[in-house]
């Protein structure tokens, strides 16, 4: 029997961190391919402008914080009232810091509140979005694919090869890797798939502030291709995951075979 390939056209998506970087590229690709999208990002982001520039009819900006139950619920309400449903959730919102656990030279210990903040946004924020989105998706009709939804999270190669100063960031991304399979198992009964992408070095605002020379040097750390990833290559994988139903409960490294040095 031939499987029905799920084209993204006609689907409704929620993308967190959607105003810049990997999230923005994901919003752009989904809208370009006939998806209607709720873009969720901080009130201070460029979300409003980005949504207007894309397609105001099919892309709406919702300001908010992923750690807030009220903010995420409000975004889901917008998906329901404006587009009638939710099929896809992509978690791209996240923060990072670089602080050593203990810095001997500066005699400075890692501030606990900074560690907690990264865990709160990256882990609790991601889980907050997952649990509320899953509740809404579970009410969908099964359709010809016998599927109610797809959730895609963003980890990082730092989950596996965290560098100096990345204790908090790596711990948060390792947690996202670790919860992928159990959440996929939890939501199997709801006919919802759960996947995680672990990107390597991508051309995003996180790296964008670096000088061109430094970016080129970073890109050369990858065996092949020796360059930073294009955010649309991340978005392309998001689309593939939505379309390919056998992808579930797994983490895909998208990293040009890079293995980060200390």
């Amino acid at each position: 029997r031939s499987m029905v390939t799920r084209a993204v056209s006609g689907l409704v998506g929620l993308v967190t961190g959607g105003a810049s970087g990997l999230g923005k590229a994901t919003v752009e690709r989904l809208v370009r391919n006939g998806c209607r999208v709720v873009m969720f990002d901080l009130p201070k982001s460029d979300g409003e402008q980005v949504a207007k520039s894309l397609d105001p009819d099919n892309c709406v900006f919702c300001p908010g914080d992923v750690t807030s139950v009220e903010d995420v619920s409000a975004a889901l309400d917008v998906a329901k009232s404006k587009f009638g449903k939710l099929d896809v959730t992509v978690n791209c919102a996240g923060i990072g810091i670089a602080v050593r656990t203990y810095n001997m030279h500066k005699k400075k210990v890692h501030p606990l509140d900074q560690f907690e903040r990264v865990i709160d946004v990256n882990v609790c924020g991601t889980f907050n979005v997952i649990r509320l989105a899953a509740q809404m998706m579970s009410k969908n009709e099964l359709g010809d694919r016998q599927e109610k939804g797809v959730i895609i999270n963003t980890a990082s190669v730092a989950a596996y090869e965290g560098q100096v100063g990345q204790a908090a960031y790596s711990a948060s991304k390792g947690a996202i890797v670790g919860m992928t399979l159990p959440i996929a198992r939890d939501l199997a009964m709801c006919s919802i798939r759960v996947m995680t992408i672990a990107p390597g070095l991508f051309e995003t605002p996180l790296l964008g502030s670096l000088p061109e020379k430094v970016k080129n040097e970073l890109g050369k750390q990858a065996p092949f291709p020796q360059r930073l990833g294009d955010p649309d290559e991340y978005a392309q994988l998001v689309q593939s995951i939505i379309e390919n139903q056998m992808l579930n409960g797994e983490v895909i490294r998208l990293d040009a075979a890079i293995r980060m040095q200390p």
Side-chain angles (χ1 to χ4, degrees), residues 38-206:
V38 174
M39 178 199 302
F40 186 84
D41 212 318
L42 294 169
K44 64 173 195 268
S45 71
D46 294 332
E48 202 65 68
Q49 288 75 28
V50 176
K52 279 203 185 89
S53 70
L54 279 177
D55 181 349
D57 292 333
N58 294 311
C59 181
V60 56
F61 173 60
C62 265
D65 187 317
V66 287
T67 62
S68 159
V69 178
E70 293 74 28
D71 289 0
V72 174
S73 299
L76 293 170
D77 287 343
V78 168
K80 187 164 174 51
S81 63
K82 194 161 168 66
F83 302 133
K85 58 174 183 166
L86 180 69
D87 304 293
V88 176
T89 300
V90 187
N91 282 301
C92 292
I95 58 172
I97 54 171
V99 187
R100 287 176 189 250
T101 306
Y102 177 67
N103 190 320
M104 263 177 64
H105 302 305
K106 296 181 178 171
K107 299 195 167 32
K108 193 164 178 281
V109 75
H110 194 311
L112 188 59
D113 62 338
Q114 287 186 24
F115 188 92
E116 288 172 336
R117 173 83 185 129
V118 173
I119 297 296
D120 192 34
V121 173
N122 295 5
V123 185
C124 302
T126 295
F127 186 69
N128 185 39
V129 174
I130 291 171
R131 69 193 186 99
L132 296 172
Q135 180 185 31
M136 183 170 164
M137 287 174 173
S138 70
K139 302 183 175 109
N140 288 346
E141 297 294 319
L142 276 173
D144 55 6
R145 287 261 293 188
Q146 301 295 300
E147 177 172 280
K148 291 187 177 181
V150 184
I151 296 170
I152 301 168
N153 306 311
T154 308
S156 162
V157 293
Y160 307 101
E161 302 108 41
Q163 296 179 287
V164 168
Q166 283 192 334
Y169 186 69
S170 291
S172 73
K173 295 306 189 177
I176 291 172
V177 166
M179 67 191 188
T180 303
L181 182 60
I183 296 175
R185 288 171 161 172
D186 282 353
L187 298 183
M189 64 188 296
C190 309
S191 307
I192 296 170
R193 293 185 287 122
V194 181
M195 286 288 293
T196 294
I197 300 172
L201 299 173
F202 274 70
E203 178 84 62
T204 64
L206 215 59

